[in-house]
Amino acid sequence: MTGDKGTAFVLPRGATGFSSPEDGPLPQTDRRAFRTALYAAARAARGRVGEVEEQTYPLTFHTASVVHGAAQSTVLCHAHHPWIAFARERRTWYTDRFLTPPAWAHPFAVAGFAVLTGEQLATPLCEVDTSVLSRAEWRQVRCYGITTLGGVLFNAWD
């Protein structure tokens, strides 16, 4: 889909984690800013930061947890764009089951991250501006049966 007025989200270069050598390196999310916001969010939750796992190939995201009371929340941070999402459990890739951001997520927004909602991440790809995606990226989308924005952003395609 191209940039129609009704599109809910515009995918920039690097959203899928794929790149071509001739295009140069993908942008990188500021990991230090993510960690700083993560610790501020844990304080806001009256909890603590649990395990933090930096992105490694083929993942497109960093993963962390915030432990608050008897609960634990999984925080996802896109490796190439400042996007934050929340999930029930730690996995190697996500297509659905994203959560509504908790009340304590505001430190991420203050730090310049876009905190994505479960509803946004469930947006069908037909409602997303995907005009920047290459043929190789579309092959991966089709191969893995990805149909939502969240599946494109938080993946581990090889």
Side-chain angles (χ1 to χ4, degrees), residues 19-89:
S19 67
S20 297
E22 61 271 6
D23 293 335
L26 293 177
Q28 296 294 310
T29 298
D30 185 340
R31 289 181 294 203
R32 183 180 220 171
F34 169 59
R35 281 185 178 264
T36 300
L38 178 65
Y39 279 88
R43 284 191 300 278
R46 296 182 187 189
R48 64 178 176 79
V49 172
E51 190 176 346
V52 178
E53 186 178 333
E54 300 240 344
Q55 175 266 346
T56 56
Y57 180 83
L59 297 176
T60 59
F61 55 92
H62 310 289
T63 310
S65 60
V66 172
V67 180
H68 44 99
Q72 179 171 302
S73 298
T74 301
V75 181
L76 309 175
C77 175
H78 197 275
H80 305 293
H81 295 283
W83 298 320
I84 299 292
F86 293 87
R88 281 191 182 15
E89 73 259 349

Side-chain angles (χ1 to χ4, degrees), residues 8-9 83-87 96-102 105 114-123 148-150 153-154:
F9 198 94
W83 298 320
I84 299 292
F86 293 87
D96 58 3
R97 299 189 197 157
F98 292 97
L99 301 177
T100 299
V115 179
L116 304 175
T117 67
E119 185 177 273
Q120 283 175 300
L121 293 163
T123 301
T148 63
L149 174 63
L153 299 183
F154 297 97

